Amino acid sequence: MIEQEKIVAPEIVSCEVCFKEIPISEATSVKATDYIVYYCGLECYDKWKKQDEDSESSKNS
């Protein structure tokens, strides 16, 4: 009898910015203090980073 290999679906995460679902192996991640955020690419990471910088500058004003 021939055993079939089980196909394992890749672990999926959502992009922090656009919420696109992507395999974790393809995601870009940033480790924060207590969690990890994932991005589908550099464009979404840049948007997130700019949003974070804008919110910090408005706190200091």
Side-chain angles (χ1 to χ4, degrees):
M1 180 173 183
I2 300 173
E3 290 187 36
Q4 293 181 344
E5 291 185 33
K6 292 184 180 181
I7 298 174
V8 179
E11 185 177 351
I12 301 293
V13 293
S14 293
C15 175
E16 186 71 19
V17 176
C18 69
F19 305 109
K20 178 181 175 182
E21 292 186 338
I22 48 176
I24 197 167
S25 62
E26 299 295 322
T28 302
S29 65
V30 174
K31 292 183 180 182
T33 305
D34 294 327
Y35 58 91
I36 299 174
V37 288
Y38 296 97
Y39 307 96
C40 61
L42 292 176
E43 185 176 322
C44 281
Y45 173 75
D46 289 341
K47 286 180 185 179
W48 175 81
K49 189 71 172 167
K50 182 168 175 34
Q51 176 184 343
D52 189 45
E53 290 170 354
D54 289 346
S55 68
E56 292 215 4
S57 65
S58 65
K59 287 179 185 177
N60 294 332
S61 297

